[in-house]
């Protein structure tokens, strides 16, 4: 098999055609690549998180806390590392045409806008919806943020006034929208070149588009499981811990993954997915800063998009785009 053809599935992809173009030999090789990629990704990730990061979580030692954060950040590069290693192990040539890293801006700016400003808008609308439903949990004086700043001041930082805090928050919102896609581009490349740049086109050659996107979302969510157990996104000790948190993360990753996969299919590049992922990493938690300390927010509902209400826009958009791809697949059968 010419392994370079494996990456061409998005180049001429029409939903519904991908799983019909493989010979038995090509399908076997494609399955082998998927299996190797997932094995490396999960074994390395789970190994680092369970045996290295987990023992350091909650440590009062500052050095260990910083080391844990550094390791958590480094884990984002594992999907890209796994994709590269899988290519090498299966003797797939690395060429510009199969790396999924071309901008392809012509005719595709709307897809870039969808995962950039569209994502920012969905975060804002989800936050607004959450506080509309739970108004007592909203604090215009940003009590949660004030608590964090007070802790910094106690640790040797400089206390700021409420007015200064509001001005700082406006700057942070602007930076989150306009700069976070670029500030997070390296870390998010580590995930997206693996999930959307490598796994997605190979899954599309094995399965139809709907099961492909649902499976990829589930896999992505389960990949986060050890961190979810450690309290990322949903904390610890809640009823149903940690299973409920893992399930919630799978739902969130499936919804966001569908949208990122959609723009990857349409642009034949994982660059918009990298930028959209970067926007989420830098902006998704903005609503939490406006929560009340007296009336704590429900992390499984919002205001962050990892909650059902805060993420309602992402869930709806994902359903619409998945249905659109399904209809395209039916037309091309």
């Amino acid at each position: 098999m010419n392994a370079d053809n494996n990456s061409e599935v998005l180049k001429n992809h029409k939903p519904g055609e991908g799983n019909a173009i493989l010979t038995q030999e090509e399908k076997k090789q494609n399955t082998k690549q998927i299996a190797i990629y997932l094995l490396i990704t999960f074994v390395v990730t789970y190994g680092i998180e369970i045996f290295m990061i987990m023992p350091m979580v909650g440590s009062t030692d500052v050095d260990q806390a910083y080391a844990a954060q550094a390791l958590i950040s480094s884990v984002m590069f594992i999907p890209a590392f796994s994709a590269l290693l899988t290519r090498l192990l299966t003797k797939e040539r690395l060429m510009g045409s199969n790396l999924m890293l071309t901008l392809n801006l012509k005719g595709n700016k709307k897809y870039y806008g969808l995962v950039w400003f569209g994502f920012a808008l969905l975060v804002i609308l989800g936050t607004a919806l959450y506080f509309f439903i739970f108004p007592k949990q909203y604090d215009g004086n940003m009590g949660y943020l004030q608590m964090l700043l007070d802790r910094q001041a106690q640790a040797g930082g400089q206390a700021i006034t409420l007015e200064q805090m509001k001005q700082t928050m406006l700057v942070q919102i602007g930076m989150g929208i306009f700069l976070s896609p670029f500030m997070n581009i390296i870390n998010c490349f580590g995930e997206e070149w693996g999930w959307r740049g490598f796994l997605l086109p190979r899954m599309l050659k094995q399965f139809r588009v709907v099961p492909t996107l649902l499976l990829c979302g589930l896999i992505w969510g389960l990949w986060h499981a050890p961190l979810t157990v450690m309290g990322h996104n949903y904390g610890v000790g809640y009823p149903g811990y940690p299973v409920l948190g893992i399930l919630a993360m799978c739902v969130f990753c499936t919804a966001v993954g569908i949208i990122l996969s959609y723009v990857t299919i349409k642009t034949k590049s994982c660059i918009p997915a990298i930028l959209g992922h970067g926007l989420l990493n830098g902006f998704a938690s903005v609503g939490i800063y406006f929560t009340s300390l007296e009336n704590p927010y429900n992390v499984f509902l919002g205001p962050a998009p990892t909650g059902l209400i805060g993420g309602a826009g992402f869930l709806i958009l994902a359903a619409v785009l998945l249905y659109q791809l399904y209809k395209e697949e039916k037309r091309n059968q």
Side-chain angles (χ1 to χ4, degrees), residues 183-203:
M183 294 172 65
N184 296 317
I185 198 168
I186 295 177
N187 283 350
C188 292
F189 165 83
E191 283 201 49
E192 293 304 324
W193 195 60
W195 300 122
R196 254 60 64 176
F198 183 86
L199 181 63
L200 174 64
R202 285 155 182 79
M203 292 286 282

Side-chain angles (χ1 to χ4, degrees), residues 5 33 35 58 79-80 90 94 101 118 136 138 163 170 183 192 208 210 226 245 250 260 278 327:
N5 292 336
Q33 283 195 317
T90 56
L94 298 176
L101 291 173
K136 291 183 179 180
Y138 173 75
E163 190 61 33
L170 287 175
M183 294 172 65
E192 293 304 324
R208 296 189 182 279
V210 172
C250 287
L260 296 179
K327 289 197 299 182

Side-chain angles (χ1 to χ4, degrees), residues 12-285:
N12 302 301
H13 177 72
K14 293 179 181 179
E17 294 183 342
N19 57 354
I21 65 175
L22 296 180
T23 65
Q24 284 299 112
E25 181 183 351
E26 289 172 335
K27 191 166 186 177
K28 182 178 179 181
Q29 178 73 352
N30 198 61
T31 302
K32 179 181 178 182
Q33 283 195 317
I34 293 172
I36 292 173
Y37 170 76
L38 292 177
L39 180 65
I40 296 172
T41 301
F42 275 82
V43 169
V44 175
T45 301
Y46 278 31
I48 291 175
E49 291 178 344
I50 294 172
F51 297 108
M52 298 177 67
I53 298 176
M54 197 171 287
M56 293 189 289
V57 170
S59 173
T60 56
D61 186 298
V62 175
D63 292 335
Q64 282 206 4
Y66 280 123
Q69 287 301 316
L71 282 172
I72 289 172
S73 296
S74 70
V75 163
M76 293 184 68
F77 292 97
I78 293 175
F81 163 79
S82 302
L84 179 61
L85 186 56
T86 301
R87 290 175 188 267
L88 295 175
L89 290 173
T90 56
K91 297 180 173 58
E92 178 178 325
R93 287 181 293 170
L94 298 176
M95 302 186 304
S97 61
N98 71 5
L99 296 181
M100 300 285 293
L101 291 173
T102 53
L103 280 171
N104 294 337
L105 284 172
K106 186 176 180 181
N108 291 321
K109 294 183 180 68
K110 60 185 178 182
Y111 300 116
Y112 280 85
L114 175 64
V115 292
W116 188 337
F117 299 107
F119 271 13
L121 180 61
L122 289 179
V123 170
I124 293 170
L125 291 176
T127 299
L129 177 62
Y130 180 82
F131 287 132
F132 177 78
I133 296 174
F134 303 104
K136 291 183 179 180
Q137 295 179 16
Y138 173 75
D139 182 1
N141 291 326
M142 294 175 285
Y144 184 89
L145 179 60
Q146 183 67 62
M147 178 191 67
L148 297 178
L149 294 174
D150 287 344
R151 288 180 179 176
Q152 290 179 8
Q154 292 172 7
Q158 183 178 0
I160 65 174
T161 65
L162 177 61
E163 190 61 33
Q164 289 174 323
M165 186 171 64
K166 290 182 177 180
Q167 291 175 359
T168 300
M169 193 64 212
L170 287 175
V171 172
Q172 290 297 320
I173 289 174
M175 290 179 62
I177 295 174
F178 294 103
L179 297 183
S180 60
F182 302 103
M183 294 172 65
N184 296 317
I185 198 168
I186 295 177
N187 283 350
C188 292
F189 165 83
E191 283 201 49
E192 293 304 324
W193 195 60
W195 300 122
R196 254 60 64 176
F198 183 86
L199 181 63
L200 174 64
R202 285 155 182 79
M203 292 286 282
L204 282 170
K205 297 186 82 172
Q206 295 289 126
F207 308 103
R208 296 189 182 279
V209 69
V210 172
T212 288
L213 269 58
L214 293 178
L215 278 171
C216 285
L218 177 63
I219 290 168
W220 193 26
L222 292 175
W223 179 73
H224 288 86
L227 290 180
T228 304
V229 172
M230 285 183 260
H232 277 65
N233 297 115
Y234 302 105
V236 296
Y238 48 81
Y241 167 85
V243 175
L244 182 59
I246 294 172
L247 290 175
M249 195 63 190
C250 287
V251 171
F252 172 72
C253 286
T254 299
V256 173
I258 287 171
I259 302 169
L260 296 179
S261 295
Y262 175 85
V263 298
T264 300
I265 292 171
K266 293 298 182 180
T267 63
K268 301 144 183 97
S269 170
C270 66
I271 290 181
I274 293 170
L275 296 175
H277 194 154
L279 183 283
L280 274 180
N281 280 9
F283 191 65
S285 299

